[in-house]
Amino acid sequence: MPESISKDIIRELALAQGFDLCAFTKPVLSPQHKAQLDMWVGNGMHGEMGYMAEAVRVERRKEPESMLEGIRTVIALGMKHVPPPYSLEEGEDAKASGAIAAYAHGDDYHDVMKKRLKAFARDLDALLGPHDQRVYVDTAPVLEHALAERAGLGWQGKHTLTINREHGSYLMLGELFTTAEIEPDEPAQFHCGSCTACIDVCPTKAIVAPFVVDARLCISYLTIEYRGFIPLDLRSLMGNRIYGCDDCQMVCPWNRKAEVIELDQLKPRDENVLPELLELFELDDEGFRERFRKSPIKRPGRAGLLRNVAIAMGNSGNPDYILPLIKALGDSEPLVRGHAVWALSCLYPHSKGEEIVARLEYHLQHESDEDVLNELHRSLKTIGELNT
Ligand code: SF4
Ligand code: SF4
């Protein structure tokens, strides 16, 4: 880097492109971060995200210098988003609504951030002269929270997310890898202390130890990344969380101190803040595509989202959902049919018990999907046990 160019100028460029945080580090991870990754993958905590366990990708995660020849610096960048505009209790109490993680209320941050990273990269080219660089948002084999900690952008809390002292943890991270030599910042200090609020509040006990989240138990993974039938023992613990989960961040004391954000660049949409379950459950393929255009919520697809909505309906105790759930027994997606079966068995004690049993028995005769058949057998058995 030309000696006359200070890091402050680079930070100003990042801020001008819409980033809130910008910090610098060498492309080297600590032995603890590497060991933690090995332990996580070794214990299968990545669930069905098989790409995370591929040997090549694990090695690349551990060796950021392997991502770009001649790399000298990692620039860690953070963008704030608004916190959930309701308390943990208000979110859970909204039984006719589904809770969606706050970062997903608006546009997809991957798209927004990628554009900003590319614009920032062009600015750096102009400032520093010719050098190679790569930009990353979430998807590449990059340990973003570890690099953010090394760069001093924030420490990794016990829930494994990055916490900044002034801005809290409602942050989205991106990275710019560059061959330019830029003096590294000091690593972040750890400020969780003896707090265990995130571990205690987690509905599914997915934070199995400080700094270790077992994705297979985490509602964020289950509702967004996981494609199959949700494990039975976790369904009732999911409550009304239909896309992601903010609980561990909502209780974090560092988010109480976070500054108010004036402009969320993801443009939160009112219709995604505690949306009505019924409205979502009635979406067909085209309606789903239209409703979630440019939104991250399209990621699990219609089947995945309606699966999550069916679970929330089953957990609601609201008999108004019985008829829509009966209708969903004829849905083209086994994932939707199967979770509708489970939800109906949950609502059985509340109303229309005879009709629920009659419909489930009817579908037992006409269903061909093995997983849905299992759900039908299990639900009818559960209902039978309630009556003995
Ligand atoms: S996102 Fe939710 S389920 Fe996952 S660790 Fe945090 S509180 Fe637990
Ligand atoms: S809730 Fe407590 S332990 Fe968890 S990340 Fe925040 S400060 Fe750390």
Side-chain angles (χ1 to χ4, degrees):
M1 183 167 71
E3 277 188 14
S4 54
I5 297 174
S6 76
K7 288 196 287 186
D8 287 345
I9 294 175
I10 298 177
R11 279 200 181 93
E12 275 168 28
L13 289 177
L15 263 51
Q17 288 300 350
F19 293 101
D20 297 296
L21 296 161
C22 172
F24 308 88
T25 188
K26 295 277 171 210
V28 181
L29 290 178
S30 69
Q32 293 101 297
H33 284 131
K34 293 183 187 184
Q36 218 156 0
L37 176 64
D38 282 336
M39 186 281 295
W40 191 72
V41 170
N43 283 292
M45 292 187 189
H46 55 284
E48 291 192 357
M49 297 181 285
Y51 59 93
M52 289 228 172
E54 285 166 18
V56 176
R57 289 178 74 97
V58 170
E59 284 316 304
R60 296 199 116 191
R61 275 194 162 77
K62 289 197 287 191
E63 311 292 343
E65 58 269 46
S66 68
M67 299 290 283
L68 173 66
E69 200 180 328
I71 182 174
R72 294 212 169 76
T73 305
V74 173
I75 307 182
L77 295 137
M79 245 168 68
K80 294 193 283 182
H81 66 82
V82 287
Y86 43 80
S87 70
L88 195 58
E89 294 74 25
E90 285 164 348
E92 281 179 340
D93 285 352
K95 293 267 185 232
S97 306
I100 290 175
Y103 83 86
H105 285 163
D107 290 353
D108 192 333
Y109 87 88
H110 298 88
D111 302 335
V112 175
M113 187 177 265
K114 196 102 186 204
K115 274 193 201 134
R116 283 164 202 267
L117 281 169
K118 285 183 177 168
F120 178 50
R122 285 194 293 274
D123 290 348
L124 280 183
D125 267 338
L127 181 75
L128 303 176
H131 60 281
D132 285 339
Q133 45 193 0
R134 300 264 186 287
V135 297
Y136 301 106
V137 186
D138 189 34
T139 43
V142 170
L143 274 189
E144 54 182 7
H145 296 291
L147 287 169
E149 184 168 284
R150 300 279 289 175
L153 191 143
W155 75 97
Q156 238 181 316
K158 291 178 189 173
H159 51 23
T160 72
L161 302 170
T162 298
I163 307 175
N164 177 275
R165 281 192 81 144
E166 280 145 51
H167 303 290
S169 69
Y170 292 116
L171 298 169
M172 293 144 313
L173 302 180
E175 301 77 34
L176 188 147
F177 287 19
T178 172
T179 55
E181 181 88 50
I182 306 175
E183 191 198 353
D185 288 320
E186 286 296 313
Q189 298 295 311
F190 177 67
H191 293 289
C192 282
S194 59
C195 174
T196 58
C198 54
I199 298 172
D200 301 337
V201 83
C202 176
T204 50
K205 300 293 162 224
I207 309 175
V208 292
F211 320 108
V212 185
V213 172
D214 187 337
R216 296 167 297 184
L217 300 174
C218 176
I219 295 169
S220 285
Y221 163 76
L222 291 168
T223 54
I224 302 171
E225 304 295 338
Y226 183 64
R227 295 284 170 261
F229 281 66
I230 303 278
L232 196 61
D233 55 334
L234 299 178
R235 293 179 194 172
S236 58
L237 303 175
M238 288 166 61
N240 65 341
R241 296 164 192 82
I242 58 168
Y243 186 95
C245 169
D246 281 326
D247 292 23
C248 50
Q249 297 192 79
M250 289 172 92
V251 297
C252 180
W254 289 97
N255 281 333
R256 284 205 293 273
K257 294 180 186 170
E259 291 170 346
V260 175
I261 178 169
E262 280 166 20
L263 172 69
D264 189 326
Q265 296 155 42
L266 302 179
K267 303 187 210 101
R269 305 172 195 172
D270 287 345
E271 71 266 27
N272 289 343
V273 178
L274 297 176
E276 294 233 338
L277 293 174
L278 202 49
E279 180 245 326
L280 299 178
F281 206 55
E282 285 172 345
L283 291 173
D284 58 14
D285 281 334
E286 205 187 321
F288 175 82
R289 273 196 300 275
E290 189 57 35
R291 174 80 162 72
F292 296 114
R293 198 178 296 281
K294 288 190 171 179
S295 154
I297 300 171
K298 62 183 178 306
R299 186 167 173 81
R302 172 185 173 272
L305 185 70
L306 266 61
R307 167 198 64 187
N308 305 339
V309 172
I311 291 175
M313 286 176 157
N315 288 331
S316 71
N318 184 346
D320 290 349
Y321 295 139
I322 291 173
L323 291 180
L325 284 164
I326 285 175
K327 192 170 161 221
L329 296 176
D331 196 275
S332 59
E333 292 287 348
L335 211 49
V336 179
R337 298 200 298 279
H339 289 81
V341 169
W342 175 83
L344 283 167
S345 72
C346 296
L347 296 179
Y348 168 85
H350 296 276
S351 182
K352 295 190 172 56
E354 277 179 27
E355 183 167 0
I356 289 174
V357 171
R359 295 298 186 135
L360 294 183
E361 284 177 342
Y362 173 83
H363 279 277
L364 193 57
Q365 304 308 316
H366 297 85
E367 180 60 59
S368 57
D369 183 274
E370 209 169 301
D371 290 321
V372 184
L373 279 170
N374 284 340
E375 295 284 343
L376 283 159
H377 283 298
R378 193 166 49 208
S379 290
L380 283 164
K381 185 165 172 253
T382 307
I383 289 172
E385 284 166 2
L386 286 175
N387 291 324
T388 55

